[in-house]
Amino acid sequence: MPAQRVAVVGTGYVGLTTGACLASLGHAVVCADADPRKVERLRAARVDILEPGLPETVRDALEAGRLEFTVDTAAAVAEAEVVFLCLPTPMGAGGAADLAAVEAVAEQIRDVLPPGCVVVNKSTVPVGTSERVAALLGRADVAVVSNPEFLREGRAVHDFLHPDRIVIGAAQRDAARRVADLYIALDAPLVLTDPASAELTKYAANFFLAMKLSFANNLATACERFGADIGDVTEGIGRDPRIGSSFLLPGPGWGGSCLPKDTHALLTVCEQAGVDFPLLRATIDTNVIHQRRLVERIAAACGRGPDGSLDGVRLALYGLTFKAGTSDLRDSPALAVARLLRERGAELTAYDPALCEEQPDLSDLAELADDPVRAAEGAAACVVLTEWPQLRDLDWAAIAARMAGHEVHDFRNLLDPDRLARAGLSWQGIGRASASARVA
């Protein structure tokens, strides 16, 4: 199949990964973004997103002459055979997806799209968005296709080039085939369907993953109550192929750039359509309840007075990003727990290896430390919130020497309890029998 001319509008996680990877497959790609500073940095192969393999993929594609960056969206799409919309769809009022960016770009490009090109919704969008975009374009000679992404942050390049499946929803078979041909070099199952089914597939996948995580966190509470071990229980059920072992690790709740907004968006559109979905609502509510429970556990261990007040109690937080391997703070469960602790009056100092250089402004929430030992100064307890593997190898003896207390609340079950005990620290995991006394 000959290379195609592709335009990608938006250079966030999805857009930049899509553009760079399609260029690596041999297509001629132009990525457009409204931010001149970002475009200038990308032209110099400077990628600000912490994503393994992405800087190298961008650099190689630039050097091969198959990837360009521009601020001129109209020029980018004017000669494209396929145009990908990779635009933000954040949570809007009432939980619905905010489609303002998608709609604005559709109106911007409708008069410059070449006849016969295909517009692809790559963004996560509600059912019916393909029809909405087609109506905004008002072009009978331009097909609109849904091709949702299934990229994990920290593994986005790998996931694009080694997909579990490629889902394409189109009303016209020829348009679907043209989009499928972009991926012809990849060995992956192809799911060809209608736009509504493709759009719902993405939401359904994220809901199911969120549901498994809420289940695992609720199961961890049961393990603590009964003196069971969450690791053994999830191994026992995860080896059943009908269940699977992925997304069964308990933690401080689920979050990130996709699951919170997508579950709320799905719940909203279901309510608008008169579809009762109590399991989805319970999945969301369980996540919030779980995070509050973890904060109560810290208050019971470190709080002052009969009500467990955390006023003036210093806590060291290890990890603020929503998962290891990324600098993304969007809807991070670590930040959600931190906010709850701050609301209770706790004084927070945080260390995150991905934020040492970026230093985002979190002054209303926590002081950022660039050294894990300094973060523990005067802390009544340490709280592990992100599963950074390098936290296992910290100098825990030095940390213990700086702390005012001796407890480590490991909400990722990441650390070695024996190693911490040798450093004079008391480890409290999640879903482990050792934590049962704390939550009785």
Side-chain angles (χ1 to χ4, degrees):
M1 178 69 192
Q4 298 191 56
R5 298 187 306 276
V6 177
V8 177
V9 184
T11 60
Y13 271 99
V14 175
L16 187 56
T17 301
T18 298
C21 289
L22 285 175
S24 76
L25 296 177
H27 303 291
V29 181
V30 180
C31 292
D33 197 282
D35 185 344
R37 181 178 174 274
K38 179 191 276 191
V39 167
E40 196 61 33
R41 290 175 64 83
L42 289 172
R43 285 172 173 168
R46 299 179 66 181
V47 176
D48 295 327
I49 298 171
L50 180 59
E51 187 63 45
L54 186 55
E56 296 83 357
T57 306
V58 169
R59 182 198 64 218
D60 292 348
L62 283 168
E63 292 177 353
R66 292 193 296 267
L67 181 63
E68 301 176 32
F69 295 96
T70 181
V71 294
D72 192 340
T73 300
V77 306
E79 297 184 358
E81 297 171 89
V82 181
V83 177
F84 282 87
L85 303 183
C86 301
L87 300 160
T89 55
M91 192 187 306
D98 183 351
L99 297 177
V102 174
E103 294 175 346
V105 169
E107 293 176 342
Q108 179 185 0
I109 66 175
R110 63 186 173 194
D111 294 329
V112 294
L113 291 169
C117 84
V118 177
V119 173
V120 181
N121 272 329
K122 198 72 172 170
S123 308
T124 302
V125 293
V127 175
T129 301
S130 292
E131 293 181 357
R132 172 64 176 157
V133 170
L136 288 172
L137 292 177
R139 295 279 301 271
D141 60 336
V142 173
V144 179
V145 172
S146 175
N147 175 217
E149 54 85 14
F150 299 97
L151 307 178
R152 296 167 292 176
E153 288 189 32
R155 294 180 60 86
V157 173
H158 176 275
D159 288 349
F160 191 100
L161 297 175
H162 304 88
D164 296 316
R165 74 286 200 198
I166 297 170
V167 178
I168 299 173
Q172 303 96 343
R173 180 167 295 275
D174 177 65
R177 178 51 57 188
R178 288 174 60 189
V179 175
D181 285 343
L182 291 168
Y183 304 102
I184 201 166
L186 305 180
D187 182 19
L190 185 62
V191 180
L192 295 178
T193 184
D194 58 89
S197 297
E199 291 162 346
L200 187 56
T201 295
K202 176 56 190 274
Y203 278 114
N206 280 352
F207 162 44
F208 193 84
L209 297 177
M211 181 180 64
K212 286 189 75 173
L213 290 170
S214 281
F215 168 77
N217 288 329
N218 225 156
L219 188 62
T221 301
C223 286
E224 292 172 5
R225 290 287 193 268
F226 301 138
D229 187 284
I230 185 65
D232 292 343
V233 173
T234 54
E235 181 180 6
I237 64 174
R239 289 185 179 278
D240 186 329
R242 297 170 299 175
I243 298 173
S245 60
S246 64
F247 281 72
L248 285 179
L249 293 176
W254 45 266
S257 61
C258 294
L259 297 189
K261 74 178 183 68
D262 291 351
T263 50
H264 281 90
L266 179 58
L267 183 61
T268 299
V269 296
C270 284
E271 290 175 342
Q272 293 171 346
V275 178
D276 188 22
F277 216 148
L279 185 59
L280 176 53
R281 184 179 300 280
T283 294
I284 297 171
D285 291 344
T286 296
N287 195 46
V288 176
I289 293 169
H290 174 69
Q291 291 171 339
R292 290 174 179 166
R293 173 188 162 272
L294 296 182
V295 170
E296 290 295 335
R297 187 174 127 183
I298 293 173
C302 307
R304 298 167 177 168
D307 62 346
S309 171
L310 290 172
D311 283 341
V313 174
R314 181 168 291 279
L315 298 172
L317 308 183
Y318 288 101
L320 292 179
T321 58
F322 91 93
K323 61 184 276 190
T326 179
S327 58
D328 199 345
L329 294 169
R330 289 176 292 176
D331 277 307
S332 169
L335 288 183
V337 171
R339 289 190 188 97
L340 291 172
L341 291 170
R342 191 73 188 90
E343 289 172 4
R344 297 285 290 267
E347 297 178 0
L348 308 176
T349 303
Y351 168 77
D352 190 298
L355 305 181
C356 290
E357 293 184 8
E358 295 188 12
Q359 290 289 312
D361 183 11
L362 297 171
S363 55
D364 61 332
L365 182 64
E367 175 189 353
L368 275 181
D370 58 7
D371 177 79
V373 176
R374 188 173 71 81
E377 188 71 46
C382 293
V383 184
V384 176
L385 294 171
T386 308
E387 73 283 18
W388 288 103
Q390 50 266 58
L391 297 180
R392 297 190 182 101
D393 299 321
L394 297 183
D395 188 344
W396 287 101
I399 290 172
R402 294 288 192 98
M403 292 175 62
H406 65 276
E407 291 201 359
V408 175
H409 292 266
D410 182 0
F411 292 154
R412 293 287 188 172
N413 290 341
L414 178 73
L415 308 177
D416 180 353
D418 293 335
R419 182 173 181 178
L420 265 63
R422 291 193 295 271
L425 296 169
S426 173
W427 178 85
Q428 297 290 323
I430 180 172
R432 306 288 192 185
S434 61
S436 59
R438 294 292 179 192
V439 295

